[in-house]
Amino acid sequence: MLDMIAFDADDTLWHNESRYLEAKDRFKQLLSTYHSPGWGENRLDETEIQNIRSYGYGIKSFTLSMIETAIELTDGQITARDIEEILGLGKRMLEAEVQLFEHVEETLAKLARDYPLMLITKGDLFEQQRKIERSGLAQYFRHIEVVGEKTGASYRVLLEKHHVEPHRFLMVGNSMRSDILPVLEIGGRAVYIPYQHTWLHEQVSTDETQQHEYVELEDLGQLPELVARLGKQ
Ligand SMILES: [Mg+2]
């Protein structure tokens, strides 16, 4: 039996990482006038991950990381005009339409009839709230939670807050590190729906995943059938 079904948002309900990859490509093109392409290829990813501690997640942090990397890789030679371009990349990401995956709306509509649904996303509150609003999906969720990090401890706090027993809780998401492993760790259930791109920070080794049991689906359209099965157990 399930008392609550929770969903991750970015790259589970709508496209996210592909936006970052597009911006990273444009960033590389911009810097290619300063040095040969390929140079410093991974520097942006490294800076971005290091900066989580200072800025947290999201597009604003990513924009600051692009500027920091550009200054570093050009040895301070980047022009104010090019920094303006970088700021523009970030702003365009913030203003972009939310692009839902296939089957998302019908699946949420179907499940919301029988179960309380919760959205659990991590990141910048303002950014995430704006995406949720633009997605048109808020109506299907009884609870929406934006957390700083998704760890066993943070899931435990959420479940206590909403009076849900871990074994009657199902989390659906695209990130093994944030949506699946911490939920299994506290005795919850998890459905993994991989997305074609996984940000370096969210990647985990196969060793970490092999010790745990979760269900993997290809897309959200397969979820109602699985929930119907789990609901009878
Ligand atoms: Mg995600």
Side-chain angles (χ1 to χ4, degrees), residues 2-9 12-13 108 111 115-121 141-145 150 155 158-159 162 164 168-174 179-180 183 189-193 220 223 227:
L2 294 171
D3 287 340
M4 173 91 72
I5 305 174
F7 293 82
D8 165 57
T12 295
L13 303 180
L108 293 179
L111 292 174
Y115 296 91
L117 306 186
M118 175 155 65
L119 187 72
I120 309 177
T121 176
F141 295 101
R142 191 169 299 176
H143 309 288
I144 293 177
E145 297 282 357
K150 284 173 164 174
Y155 280 106
L158 287 180
L159 294 194
H162 296 290
V164 180
R168 297 169 76 109
F169 173 75
L170 180 70
M171 178 72 194
V172 182
N174 74 297
D179 306 317
I180 311 302
V183 171
R189 304 185 195 198
V191 173
Y192 176 47
I193 306 182
L220 218 60
L223 187 64
V227 166

Side-chain angles (χ1 to χ4, degrees), residues 5 31 41 49 74 79 95-96 108 113 152-153 157 180 215 220:
I5 305 174
L31 287 198
E41 185 82 10
I49 291 168
T74 65
T79 63
E95 319 268 289
L108 293 179
R113 276 182 236 135
V157 168
I180 311 302
V215 178
L220 218 60

